[in-house]
Amino acid sequence: MPPTLRAVYADITTLNVDAIVNAANESLLPGGGVCGAIHRAAGPELAQECRMLGGCRTGDAKLTRGYRLPARYVIHTVGPIWQGGGQGEAALLASCYRRCLELAAANHITSLAFPSISTGVYGYPIEEAAKIAVTTVRESLANVPMLHDIIFCCFSPHDLAVYRRTLAGE
Ligand code: AR6
């Protein structure tokens, strides 16, 4: 069965899925935004495990346990900082989504929620980021047959509207 791709308006830390994605920084140390919320909800053991990972390059992803989160795993990915679009940001953002899906497949994850990577502190324009998110995930679906539920978790009604329009191909 093809997976469901859907956008919801929620705090990602509350979602009952196998794994949630964290929009992290290269140090993988707790920051603000969704990263801060995930670390607060997971508890201090998450930062301890992150410290052992030796950071993460922009465009790459690493997996940890979810500790006190409902989600069993957290996939930490580092999106690009928006610098106007001429610094390879689109390719790096697409790479984040692909690497998260690769880790999901390698760990038999069946349900996965993404936040809108790079569109907060890192300043990536939401319309362009949503197109990359939806297109890249759709292009990778053949490689993740066990994933039956993929959620784009939006943190504002505006972001939700953008993702819903993008998913509808408008
Ligand atoms: N649930 C879902 N989405 C959320 C939540 C939440 N609880 N909180 C915020 N968002 P950002 P970035 C949305 O800034 O742009 C951190 O300090 C938010 O509205 O969290 O990739 C890291 O440590 C936005 O749509 O991530 C890095 O240093 C989206 O999540 C840096 O920020 C991403 O916003 C990464 O910046």
Side-chain angles (χ1 to χ4, degrees), residues 6 12 28 52 58 62 66 72 91 102-103 110 128 133 137-139 141 164:
R6 57 198 172 103
I12 202 166
L28 292 184
M52 314 293 286
T58 300
K62 294 196 175 174
R72 180 151 19 129
E102 282 170 17
L103 286 178
T110 62
E128 294 176 39
V137 169
R138 282 205 173 121
E139 282 171 359
L141 287 181
R164 291 215 163 133

Side-chain angles (χ1 to χ4, degrees), residues 3-8 10-23 38 61-64 66 69-77 94-117 133 136-138 140-141 143-154 163 167:
T4 323
L5 251 66
R6 57 198 172 103
V8 303
D11 173 349
I12 202 166
T13 64
T14 65
L15 296 181
N16 228 316
V17 285
D18 280 353
I20 61 172
V21 172
N22 180 20
I38 289 172
K62 294 196 175 174
L63 179 129
T64 65
L69 290 163
R72 180 151 19 129
Y73 299 109
V74 179
I75 299 177
H76 307 262
T77 190
S95 171
C96 289
Y97 285 93
R98 270 195 301 274
R99 286 290 298 131
C100 288
L101 292 171
E102 282 170 17
L103 286 178
N107 291 276
H108 313 290
I109 285 161
T110 62
S111 52
L112 177 66
F114 286 101
S116 184
I117 301 163
T136 307
V137 169
R138 282 205 173 121
S140 308
L141 287 181
N143 307 327
V144 286
M146 78 301 295
L147 252 182
H148 61 73
D149 194 15
I150 302 176
I151 296 172
F152 294 106
C153 181
C154 301
Y163 268 84
L167 281 166

Side-chain angles (χ1 to χ4, degrees), residues 14-73:
T14 65
L15 296 181
N16 228 316
V17 285
D18 280 353
I20 61 172
V21 172
N22 180 20
N25 55 61
E26 286 194 333
S27 74
L28 292 184
L29 298 180
V34 70
C35 179
I38 289 172
H39 278 274
R40 274 193 301 280
E45 297 90 342
L46 179 61
Q48 273 169 28
E49 184 175 353
C50 284
R51 270 195 286 277
M52 314 293 286
L53 298 176
C56 181
R57 293 221 169 144
T58 300
D60 200 359
K62 294 196 175 174
L63 179 129
T64 65
R65 291 167 55 195
Y67 299 95
R68 297 176 208 170
L69 290 163
R72 180 151 19 129
Y73 299 109

